[in-house]
Amino acid sequence: MQTRLIGLILLLSVVSWQCDKIRDGWPPGKGTNGHTSKYSSRVVSEWIGLQLEFLKEAPTAQGNPTFSRQYAYGGITLYEAVVGGMPNFRSLAGQLNELNNLPKSTGGASLNWALSANAALADFTRKFYAHIPDAETRISQLENSLMQFYSVGTNNSQQQRSIEFGKAIAAKIFSWSETDGHKSANDPFTAPADKIGPGFWAAPNPPSIQSLPYLKNVRRLVAGSGDGAELPAPPPYSTDPKSPFYKMVKEVYDASPADGSEEKAMAMYWRDVPGTTTPGHYLSILKQVLEKDNVSLDKAAISYALAGIMVHDACISTWTTKYKYWLVRPITYIQTVMGHAHWAPAFGTPPHPEYPSAHSSLSAANAHAMTLVFGENYKFEDHTFDYLHNPETDPLMFKPRKYSSFKAIAEEAGISRLYGGIHYRFSIEQGLKQGWKVAGNIEKRLKLQK
């Protein structure tokens, strides 16, 4: 089994997609040499920490991929709340779709940018996590604690102006977010007449909050982010054991991992729900990086916004493709065509079409953003699921995992879905391509630096 794992990873590493060449000026160094750079990113790390608690408590309150909205709008809210203290960087207003007329700060040292960030993230969290029981109490406690911490040395007038500006930014971003079409992403739907029968995914009855057939209609954050990210059709459906389709499915069946194996541990590590959700896993990684490197507030804002934007738009491309092809899930084919009626994936099968792998596309987009900011060979140990690790019952399950780069994280997240029994290799490879492409498009279109 371990030999097979190594072979699969080697195969993935030589497919044609790669990160685009990093644009000149990335990463942005140790800081932006502005006033925002003089503050720590503790304020960001603390708010992400609370959001992760909320995600673990209610990971299915919304469709898993829709949490890419929280990732994106949280990062944008933070960035706009502090970019006025980053003289080498510009606002996203006028660059993101329909985002205009943001409140203006007086800039420079006239505001306490950490207080602005705290106020903005507090109000963002109130709006986007209102479904969590006792959320307001916990949000207010953290908001007040951080306000006291960052108010030292700041006069009352500066405190008030900083907090009011952060709240004004949060209100504007939330108002804008409400116009993106997300409320219709899970409207009732039926399969088109030409997408019914063998080879096609069948929607669950009753419908699932996770299906999201109209996520493809949600407004992209960056115009043109999906250009060139369309994917080819999967291999033609066939029940012939010699056909490419049959062989593609059989690989999933053959890769079924044994309990206690490294492959099973990998599959479960990237299950994410129940847990942090998939975008939440990326937030957890960002939090760990901020704390590990003692990152300044400006760099935290850049990484949070850039990664969230890239993951959000990659998610839209992914769901557009899913509901273009309606490809059957492995479990259906393995049980009904191959005759393994009692076979099941390592965990539940997601209630939306199989192709492409969302973990692949979203992880590639996140990796691209993190690489831009923190570098290509960033070594990292992920502790997202330490709270589930019990070495006495299973020494490998949810054990911290080590990576040589963010790209390596994306590759593993993708291949884990083969071992999980929910994606074909073709879907994984194409999903990675799609994520890299969307992220590359956004990198070229956004002009963060002046």
Side-chain angles (χ1 to χ4, degrees):
M1 190 68 80
Q2 183 68 28
T3 301
R4 186 195 306 154
L5 167 65
I6 294 171
L8 287 170
I9 292 176
L10 287 174
L11 280 170
L12 277 176
S13 69
V14 298
V15 294
S16 60
W17 49 266
Q18 294 290 340
C19 285
D20 292 340
K21 186 178 184 297
I22 304 285
R23 186 171 67 226
D24 289 344
W26 292 92
K30 296 181 179 179
T32 59
N33 298 318
H35 294 282
T36 303
S37 67
K38 303 183 188 304
Y39 298 93
S40 77
S41 60
R42 174 187 168 185
V43 60
V44 183
S45 179
E46 293 274 6
W47 281 111
I48 292 177
L50 183 58
Q51 292 166 27
L52 291 173
E53 289 180 19
F54 290 163
L55 290 172
K56 286 184 282 190
E57 291 169 18
T60 58
Q62 303 171 29
N64 180 24
T66 64
F67 285 106
S68 64
R69 293 184 71 250
Q70 276 88 325
Y71 194 12
Y73 289 118
I76 295 167
T77 299
L78 170 64
Y79 182 85
E80 293 299 333
V82 302
V83 71
M86 297 158 55
N88 298 327
F89 283 71
R90 66 186 75 204
S91 169
L92 294 168
Q95 298 196 69
L96 302 184
N97 278 327
E98 301 178 12
L99 179 63
N100 298 292
N101 302 318
L102 289 178
K104 302 292 185 182
S105 72
T106 53
S110 63
L111 294 185
N112 179 318
W113 296 107
L115 287 177
S116 175
N118 181 50
L121 288 173
D123 278 8
F124 158 79
T125 308
R126 284 189 175 93
K127 295 292 188 181
F128 279 83
Y129 294 90
H131 57 282
I132 299 294
D134 78 348
E136 177 55 38
T137 299
R138 295 154 73 181
I139 290 169
S140 295
Q141 288 174 345
L142 179 58
E143 180 181 23
N144 292 332
S145 173
L146 289 171
M147 182 174 63
Q148 293 175 16
F149 177 81
Y150 282 109
S151 290
V152 175
T154 303
N155 63 51
N156 290 338
S157 174
Q158 188 180 22
Q159 290 176 27
Q160 183 177 354
R161 286 185 287 109
S162 302
I163 292 169
E164 288 178 352
F165 177 69
K167 289 182 176 295
I169 287 292
K172 180 66 176 182
I173 298 300
F174 179 73
S175 177
W176 168 61
S177 76
E178 287 290 274
T179 66
D180 68 3
H182 74 280
K183 294 179 181 178
S184 298
N186 213 41
D187 283 353
F189 70 105
T190 56
D194 63 343
K195 297 293 188 296
I196 298 174
F200 296 108
W201 170 78
N205 188 17
S208 170
I209 195 174
Q210 307 289 338
S211 295
L212 301 162
Y214 303 110
L215 187 64
K216 60 185 179 180
N217 297 331
V218 170
R219 177 184 61 208
R220 291 178 182 270
L221 292 170
V222 177
S225 65
D227 291 355
E230 300 81 5
L231 296 180
Y237 179 80
S238 174
T239 60
D240 182 351
K242 296 182 180 180
S243 69
F245 196 96
Y246 188 98
K247 293 177 181 178
M248 179 176 74
V249 184
K250 187 175 185 299
E251 182 181 26
V252 177
Y253 176 76
D254 291 341
S256 301
D259 289 343
S261 67
E262 168 64 22
E263 293 86 351
K264 182 66 174 286
M266 183 198 299
M268 296 300 291
Y269 199 85
W270 288 98
R271 173 190 59 174
D272 289 339
V273 176
T276 58
T277 77
T278 304
H281 196 156
Y282 309 141
L283 267 176
S284 173
I285 290 172
L286 174 60
K287 179 179 186 292
Q288 293 173 72
V289 170
L290 297 182
E291 294 172 349
K292 172 178 173 287
D293 288 3
N294 192 26
V295 172
S296 56
L297 178 56
D298 52 349
K299 194 170 180 179
I302 294 165
S303 55
Y304 195 166
L306 193 64
I309 291 168
M310 289 182 175
V311 168
H312 178 277
D313 279 16
C315 192
I316 294 173
S317 284
T318 299
W319 256 255
T320 300
T321 306
K322 281 181 178 291
Y323 283 94
K324 177 180 180 180
Y325 294 111
W326 288 70
L327 186 62
V328 66
R329 287 276 178 177
I331 186 173
T332 303
Y333 192 99
I334 290 171
Q335 290 183 349
T336 61
V337 175
M338 299 176 68
H340 303 293
H342 299 294
W343 181 89
F347 44 85
T349 297
H352 42 73
E354 189 276 340
Y355 175 60
S357 160
H359 259 67
S360 301
S361 58
L362 273 61
S363 296
N366 192 69
H368 189 95
M370 295 293 282
T371 299
L372 283 173
V373 181
F374 296 102
E376 292 186 352
N377 299 305
Y378 188 94
K379 292 180 173 57
F380 177 73
E381 183 172 78
D382 187 4
H383 290 269
T384 294
F385 295 111
D386 282 5
Y387 71 101
L388 294 175
H389 180 50
N390 186 342
E392 294 182 0
T393 58
D394 190 326
L396 295 179
M397 192 67 67
F398 300 115
K399 177 183 177 181
R401 301 187 69 83
K402 295 181 180 181
Y403 304 96
S404 60
S405 65
F406 294 112
K407 180 173 179 283
I409 295 176
E411 291 172 347
E412 181 179 282
I415 202 63
S416 74
R417 311 309 266 178
L418 178 71
Y419 293 124
I422 61 174
H423 278 301
Y424 313 116
R425 178 194 298 276
F426 177 82
S427 300
I428 293 166
E429 293 179 350
Q430 293 299 320
L432 287 163
K433 288 182 181 180
Q434 188 172 62
W436 293 125
K437 181 61 179 177
V438 171
N441 285 342
I442 292 172
E443 179 198 344
K444 293 172 183 175
R445 286 166 171 76
L446 280 189
K447 306 298 182 185
L448 297 187
Q449 293 172 282
K450 293 180 180 178

